[in-house]
Amino acid sequence: MSAIEVINLQREFQTTIGVFNRKKKIVPAVKGISFEIAGGELFGLLGPNGAGKTTSVKMLTTLLIPTGGTAKILGLDIVNDAEAVRPRIGFIFGGERGLYWRLNATDNLRYFASLYYLDPAVSKKRIPYLLEMVGLTDRADEKVEGYSRGMRQRLHIARALLHDPEVLFLDEPTMGLDPVGARELRQTVRNLQDEKKTILLTTHYMFEADALCQRVAVINKGEIVAMDTPSKLKDSVNDLSVVEIEVFGIPPETVEKIKTLSMVENVSVEDRDQLQLLLVHTSKGAEAIPLLISELNGLKLGKVTTREPTLEDAYVRLVGGE
Amino acid sequence: MTAWQRIKANLRVVFMAFEIELRQSFTDAFVLFGIIVQPTIVAFMALWMLKDQVANYAIFVVVGSAMTGLWTTLLFQGGNSITGERWTGTLEPLSCAPAPLRAVVSGKLLANITQSLLSLICCYTFISLIMGLPLTIANPGLFAGSIVLTVVAFIAFGLIIGSLFILNPDVQRFQNGLEFVVYIFSGFLFPIALLPMWTTPFSYILTPYWAARALHAASSGTGSDGEIYFCWAMLIVFSILYAIVSKFLFKSILRKAREDATLNMQ
Ligand SMILES: Nc1ncnc2c1ncn2[C@@H]1O[C@H](COP(=O)(O)OP(=O)(O)OP(=O)(O)O)[C@@H](O)[C@H]1O
Ligand SMILES: [Mg+2]
């Protein structure tokens, strides 16, 4: 039996627009996604802003009721058996909300330990253990309002682990962390996987999914557009190569023009200090360079290189650029 | 988990929520103003105006205005603390934890109410002492018993009100209306006999009405012991009834909130 089984899960939101002439508008956030996650697997849900990641996780953690489809966690229905699901899952939502800022870490955890029906004798040992695990022991008596983002994020993790759940949902756990903090957090996630927990992690960082997950589903505009192991996803762009051109002050029209070239599949521009990095996905490899340079005629150019596609490029291809 | 273990675990949640709510409010200057400064001023003005009145009229007004204060605290502090959880993003994890949200809300209400009660008792005692205007309770034993049942009854009532705040943040708009309706129909400050007859049944189903009647009778000595015991019985019956109703109300309201995505701020 798979630990998580999602079948055609959907969610719409109703929002009102306009102040005086209020109109109802239906926003489809998740449009029928399906996947299965095996016990002990670390599965990534990867997608751009607004793709429907958080909405999906909220449905799976019983915080939102789906408007269509079903899902089972450890064989339990997320709507009909919600009460049986809750003690067996843990969740964190990236960011700083969801904690009591005027309390210290220990009190935050004591409160949730009682809400998860932990025996006081158990939580007496469990809380210091978790604080140690997430590296908050020294600061445990300070109020959360004085914590850094990373510390709050780690406190979230400790809270999600209080009742030692079998299944974990981590929605953008590294959101807003500096590179060192993010790396530490990824190590924590790896350690959790070593403990055989089933983990669903969402992120919009490709390399994070690559570094952590056994399988990845790419979600875009509420739909899953690809699902495979990171290496297979990379294989899917084997036919491509990427030309990177450093260019000074490229006008948007030129970018649009390059997009229309037949050998070009995708174009994106990244801003560097005084220059821009033009990234062109093409099936032609180095052969494309002369043509591209002629399109950039008259502009000052820097380094020009070709490279193998990365998982990031596969992602860009799947979610359609930018 | 056996039924008994579950009850114990839920009681633990009530006391944890109680403790957490208190800890948070002691670091909140606004709340501290509400429980220390404001009652002191109100108590001072009430007693100053009443200093030439007969003693049992004074105690009627003191008990009545204290109940008004208690009810206001319950409605505003209790209601706002739920809205506050929505803003801090903690309402979601609270609602989707294994423990029932009702236990959490009960703990919060217990904290709000004991805080307010203690502050009222201290303020009135203190002011009456410095003004040399003794407040005598006709029947201290029954008065104390009535206070305990009042706390229980207010919590039960607060659970019904609290569920509305979980449903939707917009309920806050009706807070002021609710405040007056309840204290008029419960006879906090004047007897409900002054209201039109047809409103009486409405008063009877409000636990604060029975609480006010018991407290007024025990403090001013205007009612027999039998009447007070009758009020106690009604307080107990209605509190149990409210608790049962709130169980269903919470269930359906939490479901609605998960359908409408209102557990988190928009
Ligand atoms: N409560 C809500 N009411 C109305 N619309 C909502 C609500 N929650 C989410 N949406 C909409 O649903 C879509 C998906 O949002 P969601 O938060 O699931 O995306 P996400 O993949 O988590 O994005 P991000 O990477 O920015 O966190 C968005 O268009 C969003 O505006
Ligand atoms: Mg999100």
Side-chain angles (χ1 to χ4, degrees), chain A residues 11-16 25-30 45-58 64 171-172 175 202-204 219 221-222, chain B residues 260-262 264-266:
Chain A
R11 174 73 209 204
E12 288 174 345
F13 291 106
Q14 208 180 58
T15 51
T16 43
K25 193 180 152 217
I26 304 278
V27 181
V30 175
L45 198 57
L46 176 74
N49 289 130
K53 303 182 295 294
T54 301
T55 307
S56 304
V57 172
K58 284 197 175 170
L64 277 180
D171 188 29
E172 292 188 44
M175 181 165 116
T202 82
T203 177
H204 34 222
I219 181 171
K221 298 189 179 124
Chain B
D260 298 348
T262 50
N264 211 324
M265 92 179 177
Q266 304 289 301

Side-chain angles (χ1 to χ4, degrees), chain A residues 11-15 58 61-67 78-80 82-83 86-88 91 93 96-104 107-112 114-120 143 159 163, chain B residues 1 6 9-10 12-13 16-17 19-20 23-28 85-100 104 108 251 254-266:
Chain A
R11 174 73 209 204
E12 288 174 345
F13 291 106
Q14 208 180 58
T15 51
K58 284 197 175 170
T61 51
T62 80
L63 292 164
L64 277 180
I65 291 183
T67 44
I78 52 162
V79 178
N80 300 325
E83 266 153 46
R86 288 171 184 169
R88 302 181 67 181
F91 53 81
F93 290 95
E96 312 192 85
R97 303 178 70 240
L99 294 167
Y100 294 94
W101 285 35
R102 276 187 263 144
L103 303 177
N104 64 30
D107 286 337
N108 268 283
L109 295 179
R110 278 175 60 230
Y111 192 16
F112 278 90
S114 79
L115 290 166
Y116 278 84
Y117 290 152
L118 252 67
D119 196 82
K143 283 186 192 169
R159 186 184 71 186
H163 54 299
Chain B
M1 229 194 308
R6 187 171 291 269
N10 283 339
R12 211 157 35 230
V13 173
M16 261 321 278
E19 183 198 320
I20 295 291
R23 271 176 194 266
Q24 296 208 91
S25 63
F26 278 118
T27 56
D28 187 332
E85 305 264 4
R86 195 191 312 274
W87 280 94
T88 53
T90 42
L91 189 58
E92 278 188 337
L94 287 183
S95 328
C96 292
V104 172
K108 281 172 168 293
K251 203 176 154 148
L254 276 173
R255 191 180 164 105
K256 182 97 174 77
R258 291 192 293 137
E259 281 168 3
D260 298 348
T262 50
L263 286 176
N264 211 324
M265 92 179 177
Q266 304 289 301

